[in-house]
Amino acid sequence: MTMLAADNDFMIKGLFSYELFGHTLWITTSHVALVMVVIILIGFAWIANRRIKKAEEVPGVFQNIIELIVEKLDQVVSGSMGAFAGKFQNYISTIFLFILLCNISGIFGLRSPTADYGITLLLGLVTFALIHINGIKRHKIGHFTSWFQPLPLLFPINVIGDLATPLSLSLRLFGNVMSGTVMIGLWYGMLPWFMKLGIPAFLHAYFDLFSGAIQTYVFCMLTMVYIRDKME
Amino acid sequence: MFTGEELILACSAIGAGLACIAGIGPGIGQGIAAGHAAAAVGRNPGARSEITSTMLLGQAVAETTGLYGLAVAIILLFVKPLT
């Protein structure tokens, strides 16, 4: 039982509670990490906006970095969405930077907000809404009749397949980030002190940086593939 | 002898270990995908970036079933729904 007491280190912890309409709600570590990520992103965007308004012919270091980020993201979006890229560049770029920053925030000692199922489920539901709103906008009633293709008999399977999309998207992101958080938490919580010198750096590099970047890319790519699939 | 709660805790730990067996399938699947991607890069080195992104996408989809097993194990160990 003593071992199980140490491992609550990496679970979501409530910081303080408040009452709202008779329910007790908690401000948790996810909220704090989320607010920090959002503040950093907004601050970066504000500084970048000010800098790009008085852009120079020969870009300096900071302007170069901004241009690099925007160009790479635009390249990724137009590479996988083709003709539909224009409408989605802003959204995909935003969600890419947000998830990336959330995933790598574990390096800075925060508990990654994406290791909280509430947040990944919300991202999955936004993708779900985007898929179907754009499908209905483009094909009108044809969006619904496509469920009966190629056979009317396949209607239930098509509907279940559509409903499973946000679930599998959100569970994939959550499971990957959560497994990294759990493994690093177990390493810190259960081993003697000399195992915590130097070795966690490799764990952080793999689970936070590498895995986090891959999962960000996968989430954005799958979102684009699903949207494009319904629009064609 | 065990009391009820201890028995449930022990069985939850065993169940979590069994749930992680689900990792075998994605391991094999991702290995096959990576092997074929390596062969494809060997045949056509010019298409390296496209092959890599396709491989990553396929591996991520193949990984999902393993993550379901992981989710079950984590819920059994830390949320303890049965006790």
Side-chain angles (χ1 to χ4, degrees):
Chain A
M1 288 313 280
T2 49
M3 274 171 67
L4 279 174
D7 58 28
N8 278 330
D9 204 15
F10 51 79
M11 299 307 278
I12 303 166
K13 282 195 279 290
L15 296 178
F16 62 89
S17 63
Y18 59 97
E19 296 273 332
L20 190 69
F21 302 124
H23 295 280
T24 311
L25 302 176
W26 286 87
I27 296 288
T28 62
T29 43
S30 318
H31 291 106
V32 176
L34 198 62
V35 167
M36 286 170 86
V37 165
V38 169
I39 285 175
I40 290 172
L41 268 182
I42 290 177
F44 180 74
W46 187 64
I47 296 172
N49 183 29
R50 274 172 52 122
R51 179 61 62 92
I52 220 75
K53 264 182 184 158
K54 42 184 179 182
E56 296 156 14
E57 192 72 28
V58 180
V61 177
F62 189 65
Q63 193 185 334
N64 245 329
I65 294 172
I66 301 167
E67 285 179 2
L68 188 76
I69 293 173
V70 173
E71 269 173 19
K72 284 288 171 199
L73 287 173
D74 282 0
Q75 226 174 41
V76 168
V77 178
S78 56
S80 68
M81 292 199 78
F84 309 114
K87 270 166 67 182
F88 296 102
Q89 260 163 359
N90 285 338
Y91 173 68
I92 302 287
S93 304
T94 310
I95 208 176
F96 189 96
L97 288 178
F98 173 70
I99 297 176
L100 184 67
L101 223 63
C102 281
N103 284 352
I104 67 177
S105 66
I107 274 192
F108 304 108
L110 298 172
R111 190 184 183 284
S112 304
T114 35
D116 184 342
Y117 190 59
I119 290 166
T120 54
L121 180 64
L122 185 70
L123 290 170
L125 287 178
V126 172
T127 297
F128 181 73
L130 268 181
I131 292 169
H132 290 283
I133 288 173
N134 282 297
I136 291 170
K137 256 188 191 167
R138 190 164 165 82
H139 292 302
K140 306 286 187 278
I141 199 74
H143 181 73
F144 300 105
T145 52
S146 73
W147 283 337
F148 297 95
Q149 305 287 338
L151 284 173
L153 196 66
L154 293 178
F155 173 72
I157 295 177
N158 285 338
V159 169
I160 289 173
D162 272 0
L163 289 180
T165 301
L167 209 66
S168 71
L169 259 181
S170 57
L171 267 178
R172 183 175 303 121
L173 185 58
F174 166 74
N176 273 290
V177 181
M178 185 70 187
S179 67
T181 309
V182 167
M183 267 189 238
I184 291 174
L186 286 180
W187 192 276
Y188 279 129
M190 288 194 168
L191 291 174
W193 64 271
F194 56 86
M195 295 296 278
K196 297 174 195 167
L197 302 176
I199 302 171
F202 298 105
L203 289 177
H204 278 294
Y206 179 76
F207 287 118
D208 288 338
L209 281 182
F210 181 71
S211 181
I214 295 259
Q215 289 311 314
T216 310
Y217 179 72
V218 164
F219 189 93
C220 293
M221 284 297 283
L222 282 177
T223 299
M224 290 188 283
V225 167
Y226 285 134
I227 293 175
R228 190 183 169 180
D229 202 41
K230 283 291 177 190
M231 283 184 81
E232 272 176 346
Chain B
M1 266 318 278
F2 290 119
T3 61
E5 193 165 326
E6 283 172 340
L7 188 66
I8 290 175
L9 207 62
C11 291
S12 296
I14 295 173
L18 288 177
C20 279
I21 294 176
I24 292 176
I28 295 172
Q30 289 184 328
I32 291 174
H36 282 279
V41 173
R43 224 175 287 131
N44 184 5
R48 187 193 183 93
S49 62
E50 278 178 42
I51 291 169
T52 310
S53 66
T54 311
M55 180 192 79
L56 283 178
L57 210 61
Q59 285 184 331
V61 175
E63 205 178 6
T64 314
T65 50
L67 288 173
Y68 293 158
L70 178 79
V72 170
I74 285 176
I75 288 170
L76 276 179
L77 274 184
F78 299 118
V79 185
K80 303 190 188 79
L82 301 178
T83 53

